[in-house]
């Protein structure tokens, strides 16, 4: 039926995935004093905030939260803006966060500012990996992998009153 919305992950499941991913991030970065979570504006940034809170509750790591703004619909990406001076991220471990990895275009564009500075490590984290990559981008940390058709759409809801991953 057209327009049908199926719940794939509920709030409890999303929070469990965030907790598991947080432990994985800590395990892979325990020797760091501080890591940077760079969330792509809107849902990726909200996801990064949730990860930050969880990582700080389970580990001694300090987490610097950075917002990335870019035009997700642009065919060619020109400017990618960070809410922090890029030089403050020099020699740090940066983890790019977004809600869904579909073609890899958004994460590939979001990498742009980080390619011009020296980093300890650059990783990616998503809630849902749809496995439709057209760009050479893979997520280091994935909450849920889902095989979908190109016509199907995944919506991640991370509002204060509602959490869910829906397939349309």
């Amino acid at each position: 039926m057209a327009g049908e919305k199926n719940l794939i992950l509920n709030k409890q499941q999303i929070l469990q995935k965030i907790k598991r991913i947080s432990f994985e991030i800590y395990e892979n970065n325990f020797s760091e004093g501080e890591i940077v979570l760079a969330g792509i504006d809107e849902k990726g940034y909200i996801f990064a905030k949730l990860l930050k809170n969880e990582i700080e509750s389970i580990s001694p790591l300090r987490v610097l939260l950075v917002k990335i703004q870019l035009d997700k619909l642009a065919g060619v990406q020109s400017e990618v803006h960070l809410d922090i001076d890029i030089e403050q991220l020099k020699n740090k471990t940066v983890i790019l966060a977004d809600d869904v990895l579909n073609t890899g275009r958004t994460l590939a564009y979001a990498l742009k500012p980080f390619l011009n500075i020296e980093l300890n490590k650059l990783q990616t984290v998503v809630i849902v990996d749809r496995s439709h990559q057209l760009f050479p981008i893979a997520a280091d940390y994935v909450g849920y992998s889902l095989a979908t058709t190109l016509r199907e759409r995944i919506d991640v809801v991370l509002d204060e009153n509602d959490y869910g991953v829906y397939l349309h």
Side-chain angles (χ1 to χ4, degrees):
M1 175 195 282
E4 188 176 322
K5 188 163 113 170
N6 296 307
L7 180 67
I8 303 297
L9 297 174
N10 62 31
K11 181 176 183 173
Q12 179 183 351
Q13 292 167 317
I14 291 171
L15 294 175
Q16 287 172 337
K17 304 246 180 249
I18 289 170
K19 183 179 274 297
R20 179 184 50 79
I21 291 168
S22 297
F23 275 106
E24 288 180 45
I25 289 171
Y26 177 48
E27 287 173 11
N28 290 319
N29 296 287
F30 68 90
S31 62
E32 303 286 332
E34 178 180 55
I35 62 170
V36 177
L37 280 174
I40 297 173
D41 196 16
E42 304 247 356
K43 295 176 189 173
Y45 185 71
I46 294 168
F47 175 44
K49 278 200 280 191
L50 294 168
L51 283 170
K52 175 188 187 305
N53 293 340
E54 189 64 35
I55 291 167
E56 289 179 337
S57 77
I58 64 164
S59 79
L61 289 177
R62 290 183 315 277
V63 181
L64 176 62
L65 189 61
V66 174
K67 183 184 283 187
I68 301 171
Q69 293 181 304
L70 56 86
D71 183 353
K72 290 184 178 187
L73 303 177
V76 176
Q77 195 58 233
S78 56
E79 287 298 314
V80 176
H81 301 283
L82 305 179
D83 67 352
I84 192 171
D85 179 11
I86 191 75
E87 286 298 315
Q88 293 181 35
L89 306 180
K90 193 172 187 175
N91 299 314
K92 301 223 188 248
T93 292
V94 175
I95 302 171
L96 284 176
D98 204 6
D99 60 336
V100 178
L101 174 56
N102 188 16
T103 64
R105 179 185 310 264
T106 301
L107 280 173
Y109 287 158
L111 290 171
K112 187 176 180 180
F114 304 103
L115 299 177
N116 297 320
I117 64 165
E118 191 173 329
L119 297 173
N120 286 348
K121 195 185 315 183
L122 181 59
Q123 298 179 314
T124 55
V125 59
V126 295
I127 298 173
V128 178
D129 182 354
R130 291 188 60 194
S131 303
H132 288 298
Q133 283 81 352
L134 300 176
F135 288 72
I137 298 292
D140 296 290
Y141 308 101
V142 175
Y144 190 75
S145 293
L146 179 67
T148 61
T149 68
L150 288 172
R151 291 179 178 230
E152 292 173 311
R153 195 175 90 227
I154 296 289
D155 281 329
V156 175
V157 177
L158 297 174
D159 295 331
E160 287 181 24
N161 300 319
D162 185 25
Y163 283 58
V165 174
Y166 299 93
L167 174 65
H168 295 270

